Amino acid sequence: MVRKNELMKLFLGSFSYLPVPINISFWWNWGSMAGVTLVMQILTGLFLTMHYVSDSSLAFDSVVHIDRDVNYGWVSRSVHSNGASLFLLCIFMHIGRGLYYKSYLNFHTWGVGILLLLVSMLTAFFGYVLPWGQMSFWGATVITNFLSVIPYYGVDIVNWIWGGYSVGGPTLTRFYTFHFLFPFVIVVLSLLHLIFLHRTGSSNPIQLSSIPMKMYFWPYSGIKDILGFLLVFVFFFFIVFFYPTVFMDPENFMKANPMVTPVHIKPEWYFLFAYAILRCIPNKTLGVLALVVSILFLYIVPLLNFFLNKGFYKGISFSYQVVFWIFSVNFILLTWLGGSPVEEPYIFLAQVCSFIYFLSLCLMGVLV
């Protein structure tokens, strides 16, 4: 009776009875982990919405109210703020697995995934502004100013986003609105990502056709995913309960003050790799262009593979693996350099790492 229900058939067909390769490893857990984290973010975000006030004179105090006066408000805020880091970590790991095993050759699935990354980073940026602390205010000022490099209309676009001639109350209201709405856009894109994935099927570590070697998602892969959830969430809630502010900047515990600029302005850790690429280029316009291209370049990898290798070749050579691990270590170095002072030798190192970043992505598209 239950299985004849249309909604149940849709659910069971998408999860329980979904055919998956028998040899997928724990690296395939990161996609489902991102989905679970997204649900957690939406639920905690809805709770925080009940108490947050998107007014420039009250926003900071409303966050303090959530932390101090609301029952378990500090838990919800800690889960939500640290959950953003977990969600972006899951996406980075998911994309890394896709690069290593050449899952990007399923171009539609890969394309929607990169779009998901862009929207997620934008949503996280909007959320970073909402506490209206010093780093929130000045981070919003610096990041939105990048749009001024757009020819002719750049300054007008910046002023339109600000709702005036500087970051203020209208900016906060707009960012709060977008931060509330964008997670539902992420849900729609996630469903589209799953539709393309289920149409082509999951890849597998040996990159061979898995049509004759598939089994139902439940129980084998489902239980493996649950084990991955437990391991990651034990570590995550250890941070939530014992080190809830470990990823927060000390400057953000002070209310936004337009008259006092922080000594060192830097975004959250998941923006630092792109921020390092931006800062190491002396020309502002070229720096902003490189920042945007650092994400969009992920679209180039499958196209290079298709046009230069005359087809979708899915083998993984030793040279490809070497380039991938160079790219991975270089990505970590760029993240570290993005949080370092803007002085030598960090600027030179960032320039070298930026070159390696783009070169390694090109090589991954060329090598077979």
Side-chain angles (χ1 to χ4, degrees):
M1 179 70 76
V2 174
R3 293 184 181 181
K4 291 182 179 179
N5 184 278
E6 290 299 322
L7 290 176
M8 285 303 298
K9 283 198 295 186
L10 179 64
F11 175 79
L12 294 174
S14 300
F15 294 98
S16 181
Y17 298 148
L18 176 69
V20 294
I22 63 175
N23 60 337
I24 58 175
S25 65
F26 278 98
W27 290 112
W28 270 255
N29 280 28
W30 290 106
S32 54
M33 175 69 68
V36 172
T37 307
L38 175 61
V39 173
M40 179 182 70
Q41 288 297 94
I42 290 175
L43 293 177
T44 53
L46 288 174
F47 176 80
L48 293 172
T49 299
M50 302 174 190
H51 302 277
Y52 178 77
V53 181
S54 60
D55 183 276
S56 58
S57 61
L58 298 172
F60 185 84
D61 294 325
S62 70
V63 173
V64 174
H65 167 70
I66 290 171
D67 277 341
R68 295 183 178 180
D69 302 326
V70 177
N71 286 334
Y72 300 105
W74 69 273
V75 176
S76 296
R77 188 189 172 216
S78 179
V79 168
H80 194 72
S81 60
N82 291 300
S85 293
L86 176 60
F87 183 62
L88 267 300
L89 173 65
C90 291
I91 292 181
F92 286 150
M93 296 297 290
H94 191 52
I95 290 175
R97 192 269 302 163
L99 285 172
Y100 185 80
Y101 290 110
K102 293 191 176 181
S103 299
Y104 54 75
L105 297 180
N106 297 326
F107 188 74
H108 293 92
T109 310
W110 179 260
V112 175
I114 302 305
L115 183 59
L116 263 170
L117 171 64
L118 286 167
V119 178
S120 299
M121 294 180 76
L122 194 58
T123 306
F125 167 66
F126 290 144
Y128 186 61
V129 176
L130 299 187
W132 210 239
Q134 273 286 76
M135 197 57 68
S136 297
F137 178 88
W138 288 102
T141 302
V142 171
I143 300 299
T144 51
N145 251 314
F146 293 158
L147 296 174
S148 63
V149 303
I150 298 173
Y152 303 112
Y153 302 106
V155 176
D156 292 332
I157 291 172
V158 171
N159 291 337
W160 175 71
I161 291 173
W162 285 349
Y165 294 101
S166 65
V167 173
T171 317
L172 179 62
T173 304
R174 293 172 184 193
F175 280 21
Y176 173 65
T177 303
F178 286 129
H179 185 69
F180 184 89
L181 295 176
F182 272 33
F184 300 103
V185 176
I186 294 174
V187 170
V188 173
L189 290 174
S190 300
L191 292 175
L192 187 61
H193 187 68
L194 287 174
I195 289 171
F196 284 128
L197 176 66
H198 292 175
R199 189 181 67 176
T200 57
S202 297
S203 59
N204 63 86
I206 59 175
Q207 302 301 312
L208 297 177
S209 174
S210 60
I211 293 175
M213 298 185 296
K214 286 190 176 182
M215 61 191 303
Y216 286 144
F217 176 81
W218 185 265
Y220 176 71
S221 295
I223 290 176
K224 182 161 61 65
D225 277 0
I226 291 174
L227 177 60
F229 298 159
L230 291 175
L231 291 174
V232 171
F233 278 114
V234 164
F235 178 71
F236 173 71
F237 282 104
F238 176 79
I239 292 176
V240 166
F241 289 112
F242 293 98
Y243 300 97
T245 61
V246 67
F247 294 114
M248 297 182 187
D249 194 288
E251 292 279 356
N252 232 27
F253 289 92
M254 294 180 282
K255 194 171 184 177
N257 185 352
M259 305 303 293
V260 179
T261 308
V263 176
H264 183 39
I265 299 173
K266 66 175 183 178
E268 290 284 85
W269 69 268
Y270 36 79
F271 296 115
L272 290 178
F273 78 97
Y275 193 57
I277 295 173
L278 165 78
R279 294 191 316 179
C280 73
I281 300 176
N283 184 280
K284 181 180 178 181
T285 302
L286 292 178
V288 173
L289 183 63
L291 182 147
V292 175
V293 172
S294 67
I295 305 292
L296 297 181
F297 215 76
L298 292 168
Y299 283 112
I300 304 297
V301 179
L303 295 177
L304 285 173
N305 186 281
F306 178 72
F307 288 113
L308 297 179
N309 294 327
K310 306 302 180 182
F312 286 159
Y313 181 73
K314 276 205 166 189
I316 304 174
S317 63
F318 176 74
S319 56
Y320 183 92
Q321 295 179 52
V322 170
V323 171
F324 171 81
W325 288 113
I326 290 174
F327 170 80
S328 301
V329 173
N330 185 71
F331 184 88
I332 296 171
L333 286 174
L334 275 174
T335 301
W336 169 65
L337 290 168
S340 302
V342 190
E343 58 187 34
E344 296 295 348
Y346 303 112
I347 297 174
F348 174 73
L349 290 174
Q351 290 171 342
V352 173
C353 289
S354 299
F355 175 76
I356 295 173
Y357 176 89
F358 291 108
L359 178 63
S360 55
L361 281 177
C362 287
L363 289 175
M364 279 191 279
V366 172
L367 294 172
V368 296

